[in-house]
Structures are given as C-alpha cells and as structure tokens.
Amino acid sequence: MEEAAGLIAPAATMIAAMMTAANLGARVTGWGFVVFTLGSLAWSAVGFASGQTNLLATNLFLTLVNIVGIWRWLGRQRGYEDGARRAAERSREAAAPSLFAASALAGLPGSDIRGEEIGKTVDAMIECESGRLSYVVVASGGLGGVDETLRAMPASLLECHADGLVLLMSEAEFAKRDTLGSAAWPACPPRGRGSEVPPGREGGRPGKDVAHVAAQ
C-alpha cells in the first residue's frame, strides 16, 4: 500500500497543479481539487506508513483545504457559470437582445473583421454611472502571458458574439494602436480608430467624465 501511495501522491499532485493553474473554468478547476484531494490522501498514507508525523498532519490539513476547493469550484462557482450560460442560451432564442456573462469577457478570443483571431481579452472597464461598456483590453503576442502586448479597444469598435469579440478593424490597424503598460490603463476609452485619449481626461473620474467623452 505504501508503495502504491508513493506513486499516486506525486502524480496526482502534479496533475492537479496543472489543472488548477490552467484556469480553464470552474469545472476543470473543481476537478483539479478532486485530484489534489486524492494526492493529499495518498501523501497522508505515506506519512502514516512511514511514521512521518509532519507529512501526515500537513496533508490531512490540505485534504480539508481541498474539500473546500471542491465545494467552491464544483459547487458554488459551477452553479454561477451554469446559470449565466443558460441565460445566454435562452436570450439567443428570445425576442430580446442577446446576452453573455460579463465574467466571460476575460479570456474571450478577439478576431479582426476577416475572422482571424488576433488576441484575447484581459478585462473590461465599465462606466460607473451608465453601466455601459467603456473599453476592453486585448492581449496579443507572447507565450503564456510572457511578452504579450496590451491594447485598449473602445466599445464602439467591438461586436459581441457568443463565441468571442469581433474587432471592427484589420489586424494591421489593430497593430498600429498604442500599447498599454500593465499598470497604465487609460481613464477614458480611446476614440474611434485612433488610440489617443482626449487632452485633459487622463485623470478623469470614471463615470461622468467617461460617459461625456464616449458621447463625443
């Protein structure tokens, strides 16, 4: 038993770490915690069989943590995602504007007017007073988030679809837009196909100022 547990424990831990780090949604993350639980129980068995009290105690505690993770991701968070997905599906069949979950914006693929994928959305900025989408930040290039380039896309140049965002420009036009620093996102959306922020608005308060600029 100790030999089998010694094989299962590291394998389960490595697989679970990859599943949770990939951030592929509530289901995958939740099942990652299930595999983590298998690994921590196997490590507990190794600790018990070999008399390593510290290893046993640590992994019994981690088993409790993993159970909380299972409840959070396979229970609560999965329920939220299922509710949002079903609402979006029903909206496409109803005589009403189509919906999609705001949480789904992060990681949503963005394609140019020809349908070629050119990046993925990182996040979106919402106007406080109107509740309207101001702009989204699209990441392109790089590998696994390393050396990627961020650009802001105003809502006026976006079309939302169930399977992603369409940027109303070519890939070449997108590449010409100003890039953003990771901690220097604009306070106001860039206007039209240009990427400049109107003078005097760089430090404007989100909400009224942003809505005023968007209306120009």
Side-chain angles (χ1 to χ4, degrees), residues 143-168:
L143 179 63
V146 179
D147 199 32
E148 66 184 4
T149 302
L150 304 179
R151 293 179 174 86
M153 289 294 301
S156 60
L157 292 179
L158 298 172
E159 284 186 357
C160 297
H161 297 272
D163 56 350
L165 296 178
V166 175
L167 284 55
L168 302 179

Side-chain angles (χ1 to χ4, degrees), residues 72-97:
R72 183 181 188 278
W73 291 100
L74 274 185
R76 189 181 65 174
Q77 192 64 32
R78 181 188 59 80
Y80 295 160
E81 289 188 2
D82 286 348
R85 188 187 69 255
R86 289 167 185 160
E89 291 172 351
R90 289 195 299 268
S91 73
R92 290 194 288 272
E93 301 173 356

Side-chain angles (χ1 to χ4, degrees), residues 68-196:
V68 173
I70 293 171
W71 168 79
R72 183 181 188 278
W73 291 100
L74 274 185
R76 189 181 65 174
Q77 192 64 32
R78 181 188 59 80
Y80 295 160
E81 289 188 2
D82 286 348
R85 188 187 69 255
R86 289 167 185 160
E89 291 172 351
R90 289 195 299 268
S91 73
R92 290 194 288 272
E93 301 173 356
S98 296
L99 303 174
F100 71 94
S103 60
L105 275 172
L108 206 62
S111 59
D112 64 9
I113 53 177
R114 297 181 179 178
E116 298 292 332
E117 184 174 328
I118 56 178
K120 293 186 180 296
T121 58
V122 174
D123 211 335
M125 302 303 293
I126 308 296
E127 298 175 1
C128 294
E129 295 182 3
S130 68
R132 293 178 299 183
L133 176 66
S134 178
Y135 67 88
V136 301
V137 175
V138 179
S140 60
L143 179 63
V146 179
D147 199 32
E148 66 184 4
T149 302
L150 304 179
R151 293 179 174 86
M153 289 294 301
S156 60
L157 292 179
L158 298 172
E159 284 186 357
C160 297
H161 297 272
D163 56 350
L165 296 178
V166 175
L167 284 55
L168 302 179
M169 60 177 57
S170 66
E171 183 175 2
E173 290 175 317
F174 174 76
K176 292 179 181 178
R177 299 183 67 83
D178 290 344
T179 59
L180 307 178
S182 59
W185 293 10
C188 300
R191 294 184 297 178
R193 293 183 179 274
S195 55
E196 71 282 354

Side-chain angles (χ1 to χ4, degrees), residues 20-78:
T20 54
N23 192 25
L24 296 176
R27 279 185 172 80
V28 175
T29 301
W31 280 106
F33 276 104
V34 171
V35 180
F36 260 137
T37 302
L38 177 62
S40 61
L41 289 174
W43 281 119
S44 297
V46 172
F48 177 78
S50 61
Q52 299 181 66
T53 306
N54 289 342
L55 182 63
L56 174 61
T58 298
N59 281 279
L60 287 176
F61 174 76
L62 290 177
T63 298
L64 296 177
V65 173
N66 293 332
I67 291 172
V68 173
I70 293 171
W71 168 79
R72 183 181 188 278
W73 291 100
L74 274 185
R76 189 181 65 174
Q77 192 64 32
R78 181 188 59 80

